[in-house]
Amino acid sequence: MTTAEQQAILTIALLAAFSDGAKADAEREAIRGIADSLGREAGGAGLAQLYQDVLLKRATVQTAVAGLTDTGQRQLAYEMAVCVCDADGRKSPAETAFLNDLKQRLGLDAGETERFERQEAQLVEASDHAAPAAGTVATVATAAALATPAAPVPVAVAVSAPPDAEMDKLILNASLLNGALELLPQSWASMAIIPLQIRMVYNIGKAHGVELDQGHIREFIAAAGVGLSSQYIEQFGRKLIGGLLGKAAGRMAGGIGRAATGMAFSFATTYALGQLAKRYYAGGRVMSTALLQQTFQGLLAPAKQMQTQYLPQIQQTASTLDAGKVLAMVRGSPTA
C-alpha cells in the first residue's frame, strides 16, 4: 500500500470521526495529537496536514475515494469508518447517513460487506452487555460530577475492598487481551477494545461496591482524557503504517511478530485506565477531572514500558483469539 493510499484511508476515518459534528473539543484535540504523533513515524508523513484538511473541509469523501482503486483497500476504508462511528456508542443519524453515502461511493462487493456488517452488528449488540445500559443505575454520575470532589456518584453498597493482587490480575488480563486484539488484522478485533475497557471498569467498580452503568463509565473514561474515536484512529493508523491491515497481512505468519514491537498501544491504555479506576473507586471517587487526567498520564508512561515486558504473552494471546471467543468476553460470558 502506498503512502497516498494510506492517507486516503485515514482521511475517510477522520471524516467519519467528524461526520456527526458533535465531537467535543477534548476529543478533537486528542485526534489532532494522534495525527501529529503518527506523522512523525516512518511512513506517516503528512498526517498532521491531513487532519487540518479534514477539519477545515479541504478534504472530501469524493477525493479520498478516488485515491483508492484496489477493491480490498476500499473495503478496508469502509470498515475503518464504521468502527470509528461505533466508538462512542450506537451510530447517530448523521453518522449513518455518512456511512451509507460512503458505501455507495466505494462500490463495495455486497457479499464481503454483508459479512462485515453481520460481525459489526454482533459486536455492537455484545457491547450493550459489557455494562448495564445508561440510566439503569440510580444516581448516575455526570461529567460535572466527576469534576467536583465528593460529588454524588452511582449507588455504592458496603463491601470489603478486594485484595490489590486480585484487582491487579483483572487489570493485567484485560490489558493483555486488548494488546492482543490490536495485533490482529481483522476489523472486529479493534471494535472489541473499547467495550472490553468498559467491562473492566464496570468490574472494578462492582468489586468496590459501586454499581455503574455505561453512561457513567464512558464519562469516566472521557474524564481521564482517553478519547473513544481517537483510540480507534490511533489503532488503525498504527496498523496501516505497520502493514498489519488487509487480507495479505492476515495471511502472513510473521505479521504479528514484526508489527508488535511498535504497537500494543491498547495494552498500555487499558492498564493505566484500570489502575486509575482502581484508585478512583477505592478512594471514594473524589478525584477531580484534572487529577484524573494527571494521574492517568502518570500511569501511562510505566504501562508503555510494561508492554515490552509482556510482549510474548500479548503475542501468545493474539494467536488464540477468534471472533466467537471475543464476543463472549465482551458479553461477560463465564465460559469466555
Side-chain angles (χ1 to χ4, degrees), residues 164-178:
D164 269 0
E166 182 181 320
M167 282 291 93
D168 288 342
K169 182 179 180 181
L170 182 156
I171 293 165
L172 178 60
N173 287 341
S175 304
L176 291 170
L177 176 58
N178 275 352

Side-chain angles (χ1 to χ4, degrees), residues 81-100:
V82 171
C83 291
V84 169
C85 289
D86 280 338
D88 48 6
R90 291 187 176 269
K91 292 182 284 289
S92 69
E95 289 170 328
T96 299
F98 171 85
L99 291 172
N100 288 339

Side-chain angles (χ1 to χ4, degrees), residues 111-234:
E112 187 77 15
T113 303
E114 286 172 8
R115 280 191 292 274
F116 165 72
E117 288 176 343
R118 280 198 301 271
Q119 288 179 327
E120 180 245 353
Q122 288 176 331
L123 262 167
V124 170
E125 187 276 332
S127 299
D128 289 341
H129 299 280
T136 59
V137 176
T139 319
V140 177
T142 62
L146 285 167
T148 307
V153 291
V155 172
V157 179
V159 296
S160 299
D164 269 0
E166 182 181 320
M167 282 291 93
D168 288 342
K169 182 179 180 181
L170 182 156
I171 293 165
L172 178 60
N173 287 341
S175 304
L176 291 170
L177 176 58
N178 275 352
L181 286 169
E182 190 179 351
L183 299 185
L184 300 181
Q186 296 91 343
S187 296
W188 57 257
S190 291
M191 288 178 65
I193 289 173
I194 290 173
L196 285 168
Q197 289 175 344
I198 288 172
R199 180 147 202 89
M200 175 189 68
V201 174
Y202 171 78
N203 286 333
I204 291 170
K206 187 174 181 180
H208 288 92
V210 184
E211 289 293 331
L212 305 172
D213 65 18
Q214 292 236 14
H216 170 80
I217 296 170
R218 289 179 180 275
E219 288 164 0
F220 170 78
I221 293 173
V226 182
L228 299 177
S229 297
S230 55
Q231 274 202 81
Y232 277 155
I233 290 171
E234 176 146 16

Side-chain angles (χ1 to χ4, degrees), residues 5-324:
E5 289 165 339
Q6 289 177 349
Q7 291 189 0
I9 293 173
L10 283 167
T11 297
I12 289 171
L14 288 169
L15 287 166
F18 296 126
S19 62
D20 65 356
K23 286 287 177 290
D25 289 343
E27 182 77 309
R28 289 176 182 270
E29 183 61 21
I31 294 172
R32 183 200 62 77
I34 286 164
D36 287 346
S37 175
L38 292 175
R40 291 192 292 271
E41 297 186 10
L47 292 187
Q49 182 61 50
L50 186 154
Y51 170 84
Q52 292 296 329
D53 289 344
V54 169
L55 203 62
L56 298 175
K57 304 187 185 304
R58 294 193 294 251
T60 66
V61 173
Q62 182 177 359
T63 56
V65 168
L68 298 172
T69 57
D70 178 79
T71 301
Q73 292 173 9
R74 286 180 169 233
Q75 181 69 32
L76 175 61
Y78 175 68
E79 292 179 12
M80 285 180 63
V82 171
C83 291
V84 169
C85 289
D86 280 338
D88 48 6
R90 291 187 176 269
K91 292 182 284 289
S92 69
E95 289 170 328
T96 299
F98 171 85
L99 291 172
N100 288 339
D101 176 67
L102 175 64
K103 181 162 61 173
Q104 184 176 5
R105 290 178 185 274
L106 288 168
L108 301 175
D109 175 77
E112 187 77 15
T113 303
E114 286 172 8
R115 280 191 292 274
F116 165 72
E117 288 176 343
R118 280 198 301 271
Q119 288 179 327
E120 180 245 353
Q122 288 176 331
L123 262 167
V124 170
E125 187 276 332
S127 299
D128 289 341
H129 299 280
T136 59
V137 176
T139 319
V140 177
T142 62
L146 285 167
T148 307
V153 291
V155 172
V157 179
V159 296
S160 299
D164 269 0
E166 182 181 320
M167 282 291 93
D168 288 342
K169 182 179 180 181
L170 182 156
I171 293 165
L172 178 60
N173 287 341
S175 304
L176 291 170
L177 176 58
N178 275 352
L181 286 169
E182 190 179 351
L183 299 185
L184 300 181
Q186 296 91 343
S187 296
W188 57 257
S190 291
M191 288 178 65
I193 289 173
I194 290 173
L196 285 168
Q197 289 175 344
I198 288 172
R199 180 147 202 89
M200 175 189 68
V201 174
Y202 171 78
N203 286 333
I204 291 170
K206 187 174 181 180
H208 288 92
V210 184
E211 289 293 331
L212 305 172
D213 65 18
Q214 292 236 14
H216 170 80
I217 296 170
R218 289 179 180 275
E219 288 164 0
F220 170 78
I221 293 173
V226 182
L228 299 177
S229 297
S230 55
Q231 274 202 81
Y232 277 155
I233 290 171
E234 176 146 16
Q235 291 154 18
F236 282 124
R238 290 190 185 280
K239 285 183 178 182
L240 272 176
I241 292 171
L244 192 59
L245 274 173
K247 293 180 180 178
R251 291 196 300 266
M252 293 191 312
I256 289 176
R258 285 196 295 274
T261 302
M263 295 175 58
F265 165 85
S266 293
F267 171 94
T269 301
T270 304
Y271 189 85
L273 188 63
Q275 291 293 333
L276 178 66
K278 185 179 78 168
R279 295 186 187 189
Y280 180 68
Y281 295 112
R285 309 175 304 282
V286 295
M287 287 184 175
S288 66
T289 297
L291 183 55
L292 281 169
Q293 294 179 1
Q294 180 184 352
T295 305
F296 175 78
Q297 290 302 319
L299 291 165
L300 188 60
K304 288 179 178 178
Q305 296 176 349
M306 286 176 63
Q307 72 189 26
T308 302
Q309 172 189 348
Y310 284 101
L311 181 57
Q313 289 171 256
I314 294 171
Q315 292 172 291
Q316 174 60 30
T317 302
S319 70
T320 69
L321 295 175
D322 59 39

